[in-house]
Amino acid sequence: MNTKTAFSVIAPAKLNLFLHINARRKDGYHELETLFTFLNFGDTLDFSLDENNQILITGDTKGIADTDNLIYKAALLLQKHTNISLGAKINLTKRLPMGGGVGGGSSDAATTLLALNKLWNTQLSIEQLAGIGLQLGADVPVFIRGRSAIAQGIGEQLVDVELEQKWYCVVHPNQHVSTAQIFTHPDLKRDTPKISGDWRAHKLTNDCEPLVKKLCPEVEKTLQWLLKYAPSKMTGTGSCCFVEFASQVQAQDVLDKLPHTWQGFVASSTNVSPAHTELAAIFDQ
Ligand SMILES: C[C@@](CO)(OP(=O)(O)O)[C@H](O)COP(=O)(O)OP(=O)(O)OC[C@H]1O[C@@H](n2ccc(N)nc2=O)[C@H](O)[C@@H]1O
Ligand SMILES: Nc1ncnc2c1ncn2[C@@H]1O[C@H](COP(=O)(O)OP(=O)(O)O)[C@@H](O)[C@H]1O
């Protein structure tokens, strides 16, 4: 057995390559269909074992109280679920914009569950971890499974897909968009029919985009600016927008021209979450 007591793992960004909203459920959640892929870019989490059962979070917590931090919540849920009396020190290096639609909080939570399951040797299955993750957010299970996937239900019913590797220039227009605000807005389009047959043959859009553009003119500006280079899209409920290319050079060229008021990054997509690849390299050799 590999007994590593300190290691670092990525919490990667995700993109929603399309996002259709099919209906609103009685509990307020929405039935959706979305295509998730992962990027080779994200936050970094450093884990070290604490023989006491304390969970200590340090680093770029950006004013989030410990008890609200999804990393802390994930660690606590795993402790409770497994009755383990071990703890951990977890340091966060934040690179993913909060409220940016790239899933930073959910990815931090998922990486925490995956990593502590190894650090504490609690041996839960991916399905068990995804079940725990779902209590923290609709987006967490896809990061736990770590495969590009079409999601249905509220985002937790996942069917793996194999996508070609692409390069993305992702732009954050310095706006925080609250997922809850978008999903409770009366003007959100909620009636896109479910995809029948092959999703690749359909018109694929992001149903949140028209509303977010209206509420947030800076997002509209970003999409317009990116359109000069390639078809531009928004991820999740925003605010990040992206363009897709076959090569790194093309994506970097757009980033180099980015107006200084916005931030961005270039990253390649991957069908397997880099969190899984990194953990396998640490624990499964
Ligand atoms: C819609 C997505 C697409 O990836 O948006 P982003 O947050 O990534 O932008 C996600 O599934 C979001 O997942 P996550 O951010 O984990 O959502 P949660 O914390 O569970 O819920 C945040 C808010 O969104 C609403 N919500 C979320 C998912 C869903 N299928 N229907 C909803 O109505 C919830 O009612 C809640 O008010
Ligand atoms: N570790 C964390 N990282 C980011 N956000 C967190 C974290 N813990 C709690 N949150 C909360 O989750 C909200 C959504 O964050 P995030 O996942 O980055 O956005 P999005 O779902 O739009 O990609 C944040 O505004 C923040 O209040």
Side-chain angles (χ1 to χ4, degrees):
M1 193 186 72
N2 188 326
T3 54
K4 279 247 175 203
T5 57
F7 55 90
S8 300
V9 193
I10 189 174
K14 58 85 176 159
L15 290 179
N16 299 91
L17 298 179
F18 71 85
L19 173 57
H20 293 175
I21 304 176
N22 311 119
R24 186 184 213 162
R25 303 193 326 191
K26 287 208 176 75
D27 63 4
Y29 268 82
H30 290 73
E31 290 285 323
L32 47 83
E33 285 181 315
T34 185
L35 176 57
F36 283 109
T37 194
F38 302 99
L39 297 182
N40 283 307
F41 182 88
D43 298 342
T44 300
L45 275 71
D46 311 309
F47 295 89
S48 60
L49 188 64
D50 188 324
E51 296 291 346
N52 302 310
N53 65 353
Q54 276 188 355
I55 306 295
L56 181 68
I57 315 286
T58 55
D60 307 331
T61 50
K62 308 247 180 193
I64 302 172
D66 261 7
T67 45
D68 293 333
N69 197 315
L70 288 164
I71 299 172
Y72 181 80
K73 288 184 176 180
L76 223 58
L77 275 180
L78 188 62
Q79 269 184 335
K80 281 209 185 103
H81 192 93
T82 58
N83 256 327
I84 193 120
S85 54
L86 292 170
K89 292 191 182 72
I90 308 170
N91 186 72
L92 170 65
T93 305
K94 194 86 196 148
R95 293 189 191 88
L96 301 177
M98 288 195 200
V102 290
S106 306
S107 187
D108 288 350
T111 286
T112 300
L113 290 171
L114 292 164
L116 293 181
N117 192 40
K118 296 286 187 188
L119 185 72
W120 294 340
N121 196 25
T122 37
Q123 298 190 20
L124 297 192
S125 66
I126 290 292
E127 282 67 32
Q128 287 172 306
L129 293 174
I132 296 174
L134 187 58
Q135 297 174 45
L136 296 166
D139 251 5
V140 182
V142 74
F143 287 105
I144 296 283
R145 284 175 52 102
R147 295 289 181 279
S148 294
I150 296 260
Q152 293 183 316
I154 63 164
E156 85 296 9
Q157 294 164 23
L158 299 162
V159 177
D160 296 355
V161 292
E162 283 292 315
L163 302 171
E164 238 183 278
Q165 190 194 51
K166 298 285 182 189
W167 285 88
Y168 293 91
C169 176
V170 180
V171 176
H172 181 234
N174 283 326
Q175 306 287 312
H176 178 286
V177 176
S178 150
T179 303
Q181 188 204 349
I182 299 307
F183 276 117
T184 50
H185 201 287
D187 296 349
L188 179 66
K189 178 169 166 38
R190 302 177 156 89
D191 61 355
T192 297
K194 289 228 170 182
I195 291 173
S196 58
D198 187 355
W199 59 270
R200 290 171 208 259
H202 285 254
K203 183 169 177 265
L204 303 168
T205 57
N206 181 334
D207 284 339
C208 300
E209 213 179 278
L211 174 62
V212 176
K213 282 199 301 200
K214 202 168 80 181
L215 297 176
C216 220
E218 206 64 12
V219 169
E220 161 116 65
K221 262 199 216 166
T222 305
L223 287 163
Q224 280 299 333
W225 184 84
L226 285 170
L227 205 50
K228 289 189 284 186
Y229 304 99
S232 56
K233 287 186 190 171
M234 193 182 80
T235 176
T237 54
S239 58
C240 286
C241 304
F242 61 92
V243 276
E244 180 185 288
F245 297 101
S247 77
Q248 181 175 13
V249 174
Q250 290 166 294
Q252 186 63 45
D253 186 46
V254 176
L255 187 66
D256 290 343
K257 297 190 172 90
L258 196 69
H260 294 302
T261 42
W262 300 330
Q263 265 105 63
F265 60 87
V266 162
S268 58
S269 60
T270 165
N271 286 315
V272 177
S273 159
H276 285 248
T277 314
E278 289 186 10
L279 279 168
I282 297 166
F283 285 93
D284 302 344
Q285 337 144 4

